[in-house]
Amino acid sequence: MTTRAEPGGDESDPGLSAIMSERRRLINLGYRLLGSLADAEDVVQETYARWYAMSAREQRAIESPGAWLVTVASRICLNLLGSARARRETYVGDWIPEPLPEPTEWTTGRSGADGIDPADRVTLDESVTMAFLVVLDAMTPAERVAFVLHDVFRYPFGEVAEIVGRTPAACRQLASSARRRIRTAQSPAGPGAGQAVVVRQFRTAWEAKDIDALISLLDPDATATADGGGLAPTHLRPIVGGERIARAYAEIARLWDGRTTFVECAVNGLPGLVARQGGSIATVYAFEIAEGRIRHIWAVRNPEKLRPWRSD
């Protein structure tokens, strides 16, 4: 996405660069709040549209344009999070946040895009791992916005309160509740190098259809979730239990044998896998690994969520 000034806008305006420099922060905010790069891009586009819909006098009256943009974008996200809950009721299967590749590898998926503008890249850190985003998605919209704005982007509760429409004390409670959810749901992750070894071992065992080796790499209570969105075939309900996952994935390898290549790559900043079929990416796999074993697998097959991975 490229955000442009309105026709006739003065691009020599010294304030323009300051306004446009907020774009990356808005993309990062939108992705963490919505779990979708496409939706985050739409929010940023709408935010800038509202800015340029104002007169020059109205714009000059705003003391902090950056804070105004963040406030507007956050409120748009808050509204979208509320409506998303209703949409999920008709979603086919489980909904998984949109996975992101390394910034050097992805494209926007927008027509006419020659690559990714540096301003549109999401900073990959612990707040965008798949495990983290899944926990965020289970929160109420107000919890999610209060937590992300305060704990991730370091906004004071006074400013968060104005955005969420609650008192600062209420926002403090929302963020505290969100932190408890995260502590309860997430396991302490090991170093990235160690996780990469586990993913590589999983890939080798999977390609060999070695059920025993797969079981040894999976936590006994592991869960595998898939998202096809009704647009790609996959299991509609989570597979629970290391042995069940091992047997199911061995069967997948048997069905895909000879026409699928598994490639190790970073998914949301952590080691993951992609499955290539017919020269294109068919599935992206993210992992949660604790104490040397895989605790959760997220398989994203919905083609609409794989656009950032495609260069064709």
Side-chain angles (χ1 to χ4, degrees), residues 71 75 78 145-146 149-150 155-172 174:
T71 297
R75 287 174 176 165
L78 187 60
V145 173
L149 284 173
H150 180 267
Y155 279 82
F157 282 118
E159 294 181 22
V160 175
E162 293 181 8
I163 293 171
V164 179
R166 309 279 183 96
T167 65
C171 290
R172 189 174 288 105
L174 288 169

Side-chain angles (χ1 to χ4, degrees), residues 94 96 202 206 218-227 234-249 252 285-288 294-300:
D94 286 292
I96 297 175
F202 182 84
W206 192 7
L218 290 157
D219 185 280
D221 298 318
T223 303
T225 308
D227 179 348
T234 191
H235 53 92
L236 296 179
R237 295 185 178 181
I239 305 172
V240 181
E243 184 172 346
R244 291 186 62 196
I245 294 170
R247 295 188 183 282
Y249 270 57
I252 290 172
Y285 297 90
F287 299 86
E288 182 181 27
I294 297 169
R295 180 183 177 186
H296 207 125
I297 302 173
W298 293 278
V300 180

Side-chain angles (χ1 to χ4, degrees), residues 214-287:
L214 288 171
I215 291 173
S216 71
L217 293 167
L218 290 157
D219 185 280
D221 298 318
T223 303
T225 308
D227 179 348
L231 302 175
T234 191
H235 53 92
L236 296 179
R237 295 185 178 181
I239 305 172
V240 181
E243 184 172 346
R244 291 186 62 196
I245 294 170
R247 295 188 183 282
Y249 270 57
E251 178 62 14
I252 290 172
R254 186 187 68 79
L255 293 173
W256 286 357
D257 199 19
R259 58 189 183 91
T260 303
T261 302
F262 294 101
V263 180
E264 297 168 31
C265 65
V267 180
N268 285 57
L270 291 177
L273 293 173
V274 298
R276 290 183 173 273
Q277 295 176 342
S280 63
I281 293 177
T283 315
V284 173
Y285 297 90
F287 299 86

Side-chain angles (χ1 to χ4, degrees), residues 81-82 84 127 143 147 215 238 241 248 254 289:
L81 286 170
S127 69
E143 274 182 327
F147 174 80
I215 291 173
R254 186 187 68 79
I289 299 171

Side-chain angles (χ1 to χ4, degrees), residues 4-64:
R4 296 184 175 85
E6 289 295 298
D10 180 9
E11 297 203 9
S12 64
D13 180 359
L16 178 62
S17 61
I19 290 296
M20 298 312 296
S21 69
E22 295 293 329
R23 195 164 110 207
R24 183 169 186 178
R25 179 162 58 155
L26 297 177
I27 285 283
N28 274 271
L29 176 66
Y31 178 71
R32 285 163 175 79
L33 289 178
L34 301 175
S36 166
L37 180 61
D39 287 348
E41 290 171 336
D42 289 341
V43 166
V44 174
Q45 187 171 13
E46 173 62 21
T47 300
Y48 278 114
R50 294 187 187 186
W51 171 264
Y52 286 111
M54 295 189 295
S55 66
R57 177 179 296 177
E58 290 172 322
Q59 292 173 359
R60 287 194 297 270
I62 295 174
E63 183 176 348
S64 175

Side-chain angles (χ1 to χ4, degrees), residues 127-151:
S127 69
V128 293
T129 65
M130 191 61 71
F132 194 92
L133 291 175
V134 168
V135 178
L136 287 179
D137 193 60
M139 297 178 186
T140 67
E143 274 182 327
R144 187 168 185 169
V145 173
F147 174 80
V148 170
L149 284 173
H150 180 267
D151 284 45

